[in-house]
Amino acid sequence: RLPRAILVTGAAGRLGTQVTNYLSKALSEGRIERLRLLDIQEMAKPHDRAEVMRASLADRGTAFAAVEGMDAVIHFAGISGEDEWEKLLPANIAACAHLWDAAVAHGTDRILFASSNHAVGMYPVSERIDHTAPPFADSRYGVAKAFTEEMARLYAHKTPLRSFCMRIGSSFPAVTATRHLKTFQSFDDLVRLVEVGLTADYRFEIVYGLSDIADGYWDNSNAFLLGYGPKDRPADFVSGTLNPHESPYQGGSMATDPLPGIT
Ligand code: 15L
């Protein structure tokens, strides 16, 4: 059973759009009662009964207004790659701090967090890790994801707010790189994982956002235990010649790229 009122942040983004489409259908079918969509960008065609907010969570007041009356939050907003601290601090760190505080203050039941494989991207490709692997970030972007995972864990212990952290691999329409054979999550499988996060019983969980890949870097048995059943295989999504993967790290080129903006 889905939570009654749901907020999606980053609803206009690549992944936010997928989840928003799924929840818009649920709204039409009466399986949820309220859907609030937040983004700093304009949304293409939101459901006519969705509550749309065009605002930034870097502003604390916005975060508190956004979660008011919401039972669950799906947090996709933020910068989706490596950047300078000047941009990552407000968008990926302050925004999360505001959102988790706001959710506690308003009695929100749970937050589903779009974490990333880059929180653990510095593990070597020869290693297979599971949900117990401590962060080993490959970038500032990954450090920001690890920060939020750890904050979510703390709040799950000290407050009633539960969190479901999805270390998403490579969620794109197609498989375009060799690395994706180990890291791909189809949009449909992402939605399946979100559904588990919205309905399962837990306090704090880390899962991998991964399609049906048995020989990848990540042992996703924790997600399976909670009810996740991915249906897609990367081989069915291959498009064109694959870009080679030469990085010795699971995070790929993000792990070997230098830190930007240090002069
Ligand atoms: C991510 O976290 C990024 O948001 C995405 O753009 C890809 O780089 C992805 O990870 C990946 O590792 O393929």
Side-chain angles (χ1 to χ4, degrees):
R1 184 114 175 271
L2 292 170
R4 203 181 41 86
I6 302 176
L7 164 70
V8 181
T9 76
R14 184 178 76 244
L15 304 185
T17 302
Q18 302 303 319
V19 171
T20 297
N21 290 344
Y22 157 73
L23 291 174
S24 296
K25 190 158 175 273
L27 184 63
S28 292
E29 294 168 357
R31 288 186 290 122
I32 63 172
E33 283 172 27
R34 292 176 74 185
L35 177 60
R36 189 174 290 159
L37 306 173
L38 178 141
D39 207 295
I40 53 171
Q41 313 271 11
E42 202 177 333
M43 264 152 265
K45 267 195 203 138
H47 191 287
D48 55 10
R49 281 198 290 118
E51 306 159 35
V52 176
M53 280 180 78
R54 197 161 167 198
S56 168
L57 296 168
D59 176 68
R60 196 171 169 85
T62 296
F64 276 68
V67 304
E68 191 177 4
M70 296 291 112
D71 301 316
V73 176
I74 310 175
H75 182 47
F76 279 107
I79 291 170
S80 64
E82 181 61 318
D83 218 318
E84 298 177 14
W85 280 124
E86 200 186 342
K87 294 199 182 128
L88 285 168
L89 287 174
N92 290 30
I93 297 212
C96 288
H98 296 156
L99 193 63
W100 262 256
D101 277 4
V104 172
H106 284 292
T108 302
D109 175 60
R110 59 181 77 198
I111 302 184
L112 279 59
F113 172 53
S115 185
S116 167
N117 72 89
H118 297 287
V120 286
M122 207 58 97
Y123 283 98
V125 293
S126 57
E127 215 169 301
R128 191 167 151 85
I129 59 174
D130 67 9
H131 62 290
T132 64
F136 195 176
D138 62 11
S139 50
R140 294 186 187 117
Y141 166 70
V143 169
K145 295 296 187 188
F147 163 86
T148 303
E149 286 187 358
E150 204 51 26
M151 179 183 60
R153 192 197 306 267
L154 170 70
Y155 281 43
H157 278 89
K158 290 203 173 180
T159 79
L161 177 64
R162 357 173 173 199
S163 289
F164 187 74
C165 297
M166 304 177 284
R167 289 177 177 169
I168 302 172
S170 306
S171 195
F172 294 102
V175 165
T176 57
T178 313
R179 175 173 174 267
H180 293 168
L181 299 172
K182 306 281 189 193
T183 62
F184 183 69
Q185 185 176 40
S186 70
F187 290 157
D188 286 349
D189 281 340
L190 172 75
V191 168
R192 288 181 184 107
L193 186 61
V194 163
E195 197 167 23
V196 170
L198 287 173
T199 54
D201 189 17
Y202 56 81
R203 280 230 53 76
F204 173 82
E205 299 292 346
I206 287 174
V207 294
Y208 289 89
L210 190 67
S211 272
D212 182 8
I213 300 174
D215 64 343
Y217 308 140
W218 312 313
D219 169 349
N220 212 10
S221 43
N222 192 41
F224 303 152
L225 218 60
L226 289 158
Y228 176 53
K231 292 200 164 54
D232 291 328
R233 297 221 163 114
D236 299 324
F237 290 78
V238 170
S239 151
T241 316
L242 299 181
N243 293 324
H245 174 33
E246 279 149 11
S247 173
Y249 304 106
Q250 298 185 0
S253 57
M254 214 184 281
T256 48
D257 286 345
L259 293 169
I262 299 180
T263 49

